[in-house]
Amino acid sequence: MAEDPYGLDRVVGEPGVLPQRAQRLDPGLPIRPDEMLIDVESLNVDAASFKQIKESCGGQPEAVVARIQEIVRERGKMQNPVTGSGGMLLGRVREIGALHPAKGKVKPGERIATLVSLSLTPLVIQEVRGVRMDVDRVEVRGHAILFASGIWSRVPEDMPETLVLAALDVCGAPALVARYARPGMRIAVLGAGKSGALCLAQAHRSTGGKGQLLALDISEKALSALAELGVSDVSLRVDATRAVEVLEAVKQATNGALCDLVINCATVPGTEMATILAARDGGTAIFFSMATSFTAAALGAEGVGKDVTMVIGNGYVPGHADLTLDLLRTDTRLRVFFSGRYL
Amino acid sequence: MAEDPYGLDRVVGEPGVLPQRAQRLDPGLPIRPDEMLIDVESLNVDAASFKQIKESCGGQPEAVVARIQEIVRERGKMQNPVTGSGGMLLGRVREIGALHPAKGKVKPGERIATLVSLSLTPLVIQEVRGVRMDVDRVEVRGHAILFASGIWSRVPEDMPETLVLAALDVCGAPALVARYARPGMRIAVLGAGKSGALCLAQAHRSTGGKGQLLALDISEKALSALAELGVSDVSLRVDATRAVEVLEAVKQATNGALCDLVINCATVPGTEMATILAARDGGTAIFFSMATSFTAAALGAEGVGKDVTMVIGNGYVPGHADLTLDLLRTDTRLRVFFSGRYL
């Protein structure tokens, strides 16, 4: 049997199409020799996806569960058809094919998290055991399949697993920030959620406290919580969909200099222009928000004649899981921040 | 009077909203001190917008003209409410406000093209003089207003203006390529249209002929035309929506190395994964295609565990118009390629 590192053989009815773009995957057993089988314990649904489902269901937990089951039944994967996004899962290794690269590196029974999106992971939900509306998580019984190209991380024993899951879900963000942030930079982070918190913590580490770190969010409460991390220099309470107000606030906070690096971790659409305007000419913007519109960013920067390098936040950066877990392990306040929200 | 580089004061009834997102602009005279007034000669309507109008009008030129006049009358700008896109304009400078950055750089009577989208440019059409259904162009008499942040380019006398307009429309692409392409690089360009041709020509210039340039398109005819430019080393006839086939073709052409830089100039959706897979680990992908899906790119790279830097093609790069016109001026074959299509 030919190797199939991207899982093309799991796509139903669309030959040559990769699993993420496919309408439907076949999550059937047995697994092939280059696959890994996981007993799934919980799904961490992508924030944008969960929000959309929650809103479309009027906030009713039962309706959210039913909608998620319906999506997985129809598509063979947990990919929200509206947002296109997925999430990640936690489970125990059940079986490792002889040709899967994890063979010999992890044993059946060990607890792992998948770091590839649920939007391309073959999945069957046998039973939903609970839903945590506050942390976008669904406890389930079921199985999932990981392809040879699929990245995963062992769940460390020294931290609560919910904490680990919450952090690993967005671990690409701080790892990418580590590539761009340098001492002396002015860095703004839009969105004070978990992704924003990790990015700020990493920016603080990368700049060595030299520079200026700005935290922006619409919620005073979120900003206060973030301020307790002790990593940001300025908190700006702004609505990131109001680009001009954000520009004015950032201009004032930076004495007109604007930012060398702007990191978008917003959860709502329409924040592209605020991100672009907050960057100085020649600066860089990294978009992690799954609500980012490509055309809004591309045409928006052109429309205001702004020379800013715009980067699509790649969820995969080598070493991202270890970097993020290390941030949590070594920064007590960050761990407390996360524990308060995701335990 | 406070300066208003983004034209917020021209937005009708939506305070704090940028002109591009606004329902309606006020194109009234006189201009403010930080604006420029242009006597408009022609509108180059965005291809997607013109196509939509043409189809909704059953292809009748009179109906197309009426629809465009109606849009501009209602919105104070030529922004197609269905596609959201605009286009660009050609005209002569009538007046330059004392505080506009172009003051002293261009004189009344000179012919310029605006390089910001019509979707954010206050516009009044007094009269329509003609419509060119084949090149998405409307000849008009009217006026337009350029904000301080609005970029523009003088229209050179030594080239046909239709050629100049066609090239300026996509001039951000080769200018951004110039920032990334270096001698010795393997570079792939997806899409053999005008944007792809300019990117290849610039890549050839930036690499000094040292490296490997790959042209990819679904059309044999487009590839042959491009091959005549003499700038690419390899032509690959592939369907860029079939990522795995593209991967195999690029792998073979590069002896397994894949590309340092992949430039997406495709016109169809669903080409993100081909772009990502064609890049080597640690390589860079630049997306110029307006059909790019942010989530498909972000989640796609993560899904296949590929460490590739993904850049959103900013339509504005300082000096982009001059760079592009210089490419055309100094490369006869490129000029012939363009002339054959856009004159």
Side-chain angles (χ1 to χ4, degrees), chain A residues 102-263:
Chain A
K103 188 78 184 178
K105 293 184 186 160
V106 66
K107 285 194 297 280
E110 283 196 89
R111 173 169 277 146
I112 65 165
T114 61
L115 302 180
V116 286
S117 174
L118 289 176
S119 64
L120 57 89
T121 304
L123 176 70
V124 170
I125 297 180
Q126 264 133 12
E127 178 196 351
V128 172
R129 293 172 155 166
V131 57
R132 289 275 310 270
M133 300 293 280
D134 51 334
V135 292
D136 312 343
R137 185 181 305 144
V138 193
E139 311 292 337
V140 303
R141 199 167 56 79
H143 78 255
I145 293 163
L146 195 68
F147 308 131
S149 65
I151 42 176
W152 55 277
S153 172
R154 194 174 274 109
V155 178
E157 305 283 329
D158 61 341
M159 281 185 270
E161 71 182 32
T162 44
L163 179 68
V164 171
L165 255 192
L168 289 181
D169 182 31
V170 292
C171 65
L176 201 54
V177 168
R179 285 196 177 169
Y180 287 89
R182 293 283 171 274
M185 279 189 172
R186 285 190 182 83
I187 303 175
V189 176
L190 273 70
K194 63 182 178 176
S195 175
L198 285 169
C199 287
L200 266 178
Q202 180 58 47
H204 183 69
R205 181 168 291 198
S206 294
T207 56
K210 296 184 190 72
Q212 190 186 15
L213 301 189
L214 294 76
L216 285 73
D217 201 283
I218 197 170
S219 151
E220 189 65 52
K221 202 176 142 206
L223 284 173
S224 307
L226 207 59
E228 282 172 29
L229 290 181
V231 291
S232 53
D233 301 295
V234 184
S235 292
L236 299 176
R237 183 164 175 253
V238 289
D239 177 349
T241 65
R242 303 184 69 90
V244 181
E245 287 171 23
V246 172
L247 169 66
E248 292 308 324
V250 171
K251 201 186 263 177
Q252 198 173 354
T254 58
N255 290 319
L258 298 179
C259 293
D260 303 289
L261 182 60
V262 183
I263 300 157

Side-chain angles (χ1 to χ4, degrees), chain A:
Chain A
M1 184 186 285
E3 287 180 54
D4 179 24
Y6 301 126
L8 295 166
D9 289 348
R10 290 283 180 182
V11 172
V12 178
E14 297 170 280
V17 169
L18 285 159
Q20 187 173 33
R21 280 188 62 209
Q23 265 310 304
R24 216 173 121 222
L25 302 182
D26 167 15
L29 298 182
I31 57 165
R32 287 116 204 221
D34 56 354
E35 293 177 338
M36 184 200 283
L37 177 61
I38 303 164
D39 283 322
V40 183
E41 298 176 348
S42 56
L43 306 175
N44 255 42
V45 179
D46 166 76
S49 168
F50 200 83
K51 186 163 184 279
Q52 189 277 327
I53 291 173
K54 201 157 58 177
E55 286 173 0
S56 76
C57 294
Q60 294 302 311
E62 302 72 24
V64 168
V65 166
R67 178 68 188 128
I68 288 174
Q69 286 179 304
E70 181 186 37
I71 291 172
V72 174
R73 214 165 31 234
E74 276 172 8
R75 309 198 67 175
K77 57 178 176 175
M78 179 52 213
Q79 180 178 29
N80 183 325
V82 179
T83 64
S85 55
M88 55 185 294
L89 66 84
L90 186 86
R92 286 184 190 274
V93 175
R94 191 200 298 179
E95 188 188 338
I96 310 160
L99 300 177
H100 193 279
K103 188 78 184 178
K105 293 184 186 160
V106 66
K107 285 194 297 280
E110 283 196 89
R111 173 169 277 146
I112 65 165
T114 61
L115 302 180
V116 286
S117 174
L118 289 176
S119 64
L120 57 89
T121 304
L123 176 70
V124 170
I125 297 180
Q126 264 133 12
E127 178 196 351
V128 172
R129 293 172 155 166
V131 57
R132 289 275 310 270
M133 300 293 280
D134 51 334
V135 292
D136 312 343
R137 185 181 305 144
V138 193
E139 311 292 337
V140 303
R141 199 167 56 79
H143 78 255
I145 293 163
L146 195 68
F147 308 131
S149 65
I151 42 176
W152 55 277
S153 172
R154 194 174 274 109
V155 178
E157 305 283 329
D158 61 341
M159 281 185 270
E161 71 182 32
T162 44
L163 179 68
V164 171
L165 255 192
L168 289 181
D169 182 31
V170 292
C171 65
L176 201 54
V177 168
R179 285 196 177 169
Y180 287 89
R182 293 283 171 274
M185 279 189 172
R186 285 190 182 83
I187 303 175
V189 176
L190 273 70
K194 63 182 178 176
S195 175
L198 285 169
C199 287
L200 266 178
Q202 180 58 47
H204 183 69
R205 181 168 291 198
S206 294
T207 56
K210 296 184 190 72
Q212 190 186 15
L213 301 189
L214 294 76
L216 285 73
D217 201 283
I218 197 170
S219 151
E220 189 65 52
K221 202 176 142 206
L223 284 173
S224 307
L226 207 59
E228 282 172 29
L229 290 181
V231 291
S232 53
D233 301 295
V234 184
S235 292
L236 299 176
R237 183 164 175 253
V238 289
D239 177 349
T241 65
R242 303 184 69 90
V244 181
E245 287 171 23
V246 172
L247 169 66
E248 292 308 324
V250 171
K251 201 186 263 177
Q252 198 173 354
T254 58
N255 290 319
L258 298 179
C259 293
D260 303 289
L261 182 60
V262 183
I263 300 157
N264 184 318
C265 298
T267 52
V268 295
T271 63
E272 298 84 1
M273 283 313 297
T275 309
I276 290 164
L277 292 182
R280 66 165 171 84
D281 261 304
T284 298
I286 310 180
F287 293 91
F288 290 112
S289 169
M290 283 301 145
T292 303
S293 153
F294 180 88
T295 46
L299 297 176
E302 181 180 352
V304 295
K306 180 80 135 201
D307 176 21
V308 54
T309 297
M310 295 182 287
V311 176
I312 298 174
N314 185 342
Y316 174 64
V317 177
H320 58 348
D322 290 343
L323 177 141
T324 302
L325 294 176
D326 188 58
L327 268 179
L328 279 175
R329 199 172 274 127
T330 56
D331 186 333
T332 311
R333 287 185 292 189
L334 185 64
R335 214 163 54 240
V336 169
F337 174 91
F338 261 74
S339 302
R341 280 159 193 76
Y342 303 102
L343 285 193

Side-chain angles (χ1 to χ4, degrees), chain B residues 58-323:
Chain B
Q60 294 303 311
E62 302 74 22
V64 167
V65 166
R67 178 67 188 130
I68 288 173
Q69 286 178 303
E70 181 186 34
I71 290 172
V72 174
R73 210 163 36 232
E74 278 173 6
R75 308 200 65 175
K77 58 177 177 176
M78 180 51 212
Q79 180 178 29
N80 183 325
V82 178
T83 65
S85 56
M88 53 189 294
L89 67 83
L90 190 83
R92 285 182 192 278
V93 174
R94 192 200 298 176
E95 188 188 336
I96 310 161
L99 300 178
H100 193 278
K103 188 77 184 178
K105 295 185 185 159
V106 65
K107 285 195 296 281
E110 284 195 271
R111 173 170 276 143
I112 65 165
T114 61
L115 302 180
V116 286
S117 175
L118 289 176
S119 63
L120 57 90
T121 305
L123 176 70
V124 170
I125 296 179
Q126 264 132 17
E127 179 195 352
V128 172
R129 292 172 156 168
V131 57
R132 289 272 312 270
M133 301 290 280
D134 52 334
V135 291
D136 312 341
R137 190 155 177 200
V138 194
E139 311 292 338
V140 303
R141 199 166 56 78
H143 79 254
I145 293 163
L146 196 67
F147 308 129
S149 66
I151 43 177
W152 55 276
S153 171
R154 195 173 273 109
V155 178
E157 306 283 329
D158 60 343
M159 281 184 271
E161 72 183 32
T162 44
L163 179 66
V164 170
L165 267 187
L168 289 182
D169 186 30
V170 292
C171 65
L176 201 54
V177 168
R179 285 197 177 169
Y180 288 88
R182 294 286 171 273
M185 278 188 172
R186 287 190 181 84
I187 302 175
V189 176
L190 272 70
K194 65 181 178 177
S195 175
L198 285 169
C199 286
L200 266 178
Q202 179 58 46
H204 183 69
R205 181 167 291 197
S206 294
T207 56
K210 294 182 192 72
Q212 189 186 15
L213 301 188
L214 294 78
L216 285 74
D217 200 281
I218 197 170
S219 151
E220 189 65 52
K221 201 175 143 208
L223 283 173
S224 306
L226 207 59
E228 281 171 29
L229 291 181
V231 291
S232 52
D233 301 295
V234 184
S235 293
L236 299 176
R237 183 164 174 253
V238 288
D239 177 348
T241 65
R242 302 181 71 89
V244 182
E245 287 172 21
V246 172
L247 168 66
E248 292 307 325
V250 171
K251 202 186 264 180
Q252 198 172 358
T254 58
N255 289 319
L258 300 179
C259 293
D260 303 289
L261 181 60
V262 182
I263 300 156
N264 185 318
C265 299
T267 51
V268 294
T271 63
E272 298 85 0
M273 281 314 296
T275 309
I276 290 164
L277 291 182
R280 65 164 170 84
D281 262 303
T284 298
I286 310 179
F287 293 91
F288 290 112
S289 169
M290 283 301 145
T292 302
S293 153
F294 180 88
T295 46
L299 297 177
E302 180 181 352
V304 296
K306 181 81 134 199
D307 176 22
V308 54
T309 298
M310 296 183 286
V311 176
I312 298 174
N314 185 342
Y316 173 64
V317 176
H320 60 345
D322 289 344
L323 176 142

